[in-house]
């Protein structure tokens, strides 16, 4: 049990934080520039609580979510990529996203699934699944 928590914290948290930048924000970028469904205001760097930009808050929350996904992968015999996408959609509805007005309603589950799937995709080579 202690080893599971250590591995999830050591490998899952950084993967969740990196997935925010690599997968979640890339999805928003593509939705704006290629498909023209997101307003440009989604990329305005706004300052959140304690003077930190919102991207840093999302990375912190992504690290916490990556830890939770890492624990789920260690403890439950579930398919990893599907679990990441489903937990990512759930996390997108739990964490306030600060998306601008005019955002289509299907964008929120899409960016959540992109984040969760990306976090698990980054965790795959780190062998969170197996026992060592």
């Amino acid at each position: 049990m202690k080893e599971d928590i250590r591995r999830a914290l050591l490998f899952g948290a950084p993967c969740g934080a990196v997935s925010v930048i690599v997968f979640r924000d890339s999805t928003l970028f593509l939705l704006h520039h290629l498909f023209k469904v997101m307003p440009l205001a989604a990329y305005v760097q706004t300052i959140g609580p304690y003077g930190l930009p919102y991207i840093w808050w999302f990375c912190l929350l992504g690290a916490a979510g990556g830890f939770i996904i890492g624990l789920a992968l260690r403890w439950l015999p579930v398919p990893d990529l599907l679990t990441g996408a489903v937990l990512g959609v759930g996390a997108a509805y739990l964490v306030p996203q600060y998306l601008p007005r005019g955002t289509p309603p299907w964008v929120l589950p899409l960016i959540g699934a992109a984040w969760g799937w990306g976090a698990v995709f980054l965790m795959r080579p780190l062998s969170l699944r197996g026992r060592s």
Side-chain angles (χ1 to χ4, degrees):
M1 173 95 122
K2 196 173 191 181
E3 176 66 18
D4 294 341
I5 293 173
R6 185 186 70 78
R7 288 179 67 93
L9 187 61
L10 186 64
F11 298 127
C15 289
V18 169
S19 180
V20 168
I21 296 169
V22 174
F23 291 96
R24 179 192 179 273
D25 287 348
S26 297
T27 303
L28 288 173
F29 177 84
L30 291 174
L31 287 175
H32 171 70
H33 288 289
L34 291 182
F35 302 112
K36 309 289 188 215
V37 296
M38 288 292 298
L40 185 60
Y43 301 102
V44 175
Q45 195 63 270
T46 58
I47 303 299
Y50 303 110
L52 287 176
Y54 277 118
I55 187 67
W56 290 103
W57 285 108
F58 286 135
C59 285
L60 288 171
L61 293 171
F67 172 70
I68 292 170
I69 290 175
L71 282 178
L73 292 178
R74 292 289 289 180
W75 290 344
L76 303 173
V78 291
D80 56 352
L81 293 175
L82 180 64
T83 300
V86 169
L87 291 176
V89 170
Y93 284 106
L94 292 175
V95 174
Q97 296 294 322
Y98 304 104
L99 294 173
R101 290 184 187 207
T103 302
W106 51 267
V107 168
L108 188 62
L110 180 67
I111 62 173
W115 168 79
W117 186 89
V120 172
F121 182 75
L122 293 173
M123 289 179 207
R124 270 189 156 186
L126 301 174
S127 68
L128 268 169
R129 171 68 70 198
R131 304 270 179 200
S132 59

